[in-house]
Amino acid sequence: SSLPANASCTVSLVFVPTSSGTRTGAFTVTDSLGTQTAQLSGIGLAAAPAPLPPLALTFAAQQVGTVSTAQVITLSNSGDQPLTSIAVATSGDFSAANNCGSLLQGHGSCTIAVTFVPTLVGTAIGALMVTDEFRTQTVDMTGTGTAPPGVSAEPASINFGGLAAGTPSSVQPVT
C-alpha cells in the first residue's frame, strides 16, 4: 500500500513471549527510499506456577476438643512473576494458618500450617483449599477423634436391624 508525501501512519506492535528470557527481533519497513529497521526487545517472564504438595494429609489420633501438632505445607512459586490473590480455607474439623498472605513473590516460598481439632469421636474428613489468581488446589485431610481418658463406649456402634413399628428390640449392652 502507499502513503502520500508528508503523511505518516502508526503501526501497533504487540509482544507475546512464548518462553521466559530476553527476546529480540526487528520491525522492518521497506519503501522507495530504502529499508528502515527498528530493533525490538522484551523479556518473557515465566508464569507463577505453585503446585501444592502433598495431595493429602493424615493426622494422628487426637483427643476430642484438643489441637493437634501442626502439619506444614510449603507453597513455592518457581515462576518469575508474583502469585497473587492467595486465600486459604478449610472444611471439617481442620484449621489453617496462612503464613503466605495474599502475595508470593517469584522464586519465593511460604508455609501454611494445618491443625486438627476433632469435635467427635471417630474418623473426620476435610479439605484444605488454597486459591490464587489461577486456580484452586485441594489437599484432602483425615484424622481420628478419640475420647478423653476415662470415657469410652463399647461397642462403638449398634445395628438394631429391621423391626416392625412398635416392636421393641432385644437389649444391646453398651459399656
Side-chain angles (χ1 to χ4, degrees):
S1 134
S2 64
L3 187 63
N6 297 320
S8 65
C9 69
T10 301
V11 175
S12 298
L13 302 176
V14 176
F15 175 58
V16 181
T18 57
S19 62
S20 62
T22 300
R23 300 288 176 247
T24 59
F27 174 70
T28 304
V29 175
T30 304
D31 59 21
S32 60
L33 298 175
T35 301
Q36 292 80 42
T37 301
Q39 298 301 315
L40 308 173
S41 67
I43 299 173
L45 300 176
L52 192 64
L55 299 177
L57 291 177
T58 301
F59 286 82
Q62 185 71 30
Q63 183 177 315
V64 169
T66 63
V67 180
S68 73
T69 300
Q71 291 194 38
V72 177
I73 292 178
T74 300
L75 180 64
S76 297
N77 180 356
S78 61
D80 298 322
Q81 300 205 24
L83 184 64
T84 62
S85 303
I86 298 170
V88 173
T90 58
S91 65
D93 291 347
F94 302 90
S95 63
N98 176 6
N99 298 311
C100 300
S102 61
L103 177 112
L104 178 57
Q105 293 296 337
H107 303 284
S109 63
C110 60
T111 60
I112 300 165
V114 184
T115 56
F116 172 47
V117 185
T119 57
L120 300 171
V121 172
T123 301
I125 59 171
L128 167 69
M129 288 77 62
V130 179
T131 303
D132 59 48
E133 63 190 297
F134 299 112
R135 66 193 163 279
T136 297
Q137 299 179 80
T138 302
V139 176
D140 294 324
M141 300 184 292
T142 59
T144 302
T146 60
V151 177
S152 65
E154 286 293 326
S157 66
I158 297 173
N159 182 347
F160 288 99
L163 293 173
T167 304
S169 72
S170 60
V171 173
Q172 302 290 322
V174 175
T175 56

